[in-house]
Amino acid sequence: MKKIKCIIVDDEPLAVSLIESYVEKVPFLELVFSTENPIEALEFIQKNEAELVFLDIQMPELTGINFMKIVGDKMKYILTTAYSEYALEGYEHNVVDYLLKPISFDRFNKSILKAKERFPLDETKENSHFFVKSSGQRYRINFNEILYVESIKDYVNIKTETQEYIVLDTLKSLENHLPENFARVHKSFILNIDKVKSVGLKKVILISENEVPIGEIYKLNLLEKLK
C-alpha cells in the first residue's frame, strides 16, 4: 500500500505530539516532518516530498491561511485550530477537512479517511483491469465493463453487461481496488458511476435497465460523485 506522506505544522508542542501519536496509528499515513515553526515547514516542502499537511491556522510567525497561499494546491490540507471562525476562509483553499481542537482520535480518523479518498493509494487503481477466480477459473475483468458489485453473504457478484462473476471476497475488500468512478450506494452494492442512466429516490437505473437500490446514508456521497 502506498502511504500518504504527511507533515504537521502547529505552534503548540502538545498539539504536535498528539497528532504525531494519531498518525502513528494509521497504516496508510507516513509522517515525514513535524514542526512548531511554519517557516521550517516551508523550507522542508521546497526540498522534500510531502502530500498532506496537518496545519494550524493561528500561528504567530505565519498564519495557516498565508501558508496555504504560499504553498498552493500542490499540497492538501487538514486544518487544525481552536477557532471555528476560520473554517470558511480555510475552505477557499485545497482543504480536505477542518478539525476543531481538542481533537479526538475518532474525529481525526474520519478526517484522514476523507483524505484517503483524494489519493491513489492502491496501484491497482491505476490499471484498467483486474483478475478474479470464479467457478474454478481465472477471469480478466475490465473496470469499465462493470455495472455494479453486489455482496451475497461470503461472496460478491460482479455484474457486467454480458456476464456475472461470483467471487469469494468481501465488498469492503473489493472496494479498495476499484477506481474513483465507483461508489458505494448501499450496504450491499457498489456501482460504476459511468453506467448510471438516472437516479430516483430509492434506486439507480443503470444501462441495460439494471436497477440498484440506494441506501439513505450513501445518497449524499452518490450525488457528490455524480457531479
Side-chain angles (χ1 to χ4, degrees), residues 88-132:
L88 183 59
E89 186 178 2
Y91 275 118
E92 294 175 0
H93 301 274
N94 194 17
V95 173
V96 175
D97 202 2
Y98 183 97
L99 296 177
L100 190 63
K101 297 176 182 179
I103 303 166
S104 67
F105 179 73
D106 180 65
R107 182 65 183 87
F108 175 87
N109 192 53
K110 290 178 181 178
S111 184
I112 55 94
L113 288 177
K114 289 175 66 176
K116 185 180 179 183
E117 296 177 355
R118 304 278 191 96
F119 294 93
L121 298 181
D122 196 319
E123 292 181 356
T124 307
K125 294 186 177 183
E126 299 175 3
N127 296 329
S128 61
H129 65 274
F130 68 121
F131 289 88
V132 299

Side-chain angles (χ1 to χ4, degrees), residues 211-224:
E211 296 183 1
V212 172
I214 304 176
E216 188 64 32
I217 63 172
Y218 300 98
K219 186 175 296 183
L220 182 59
N221 179 55
L222 171 61
L223 294 176
E224 287 294 324

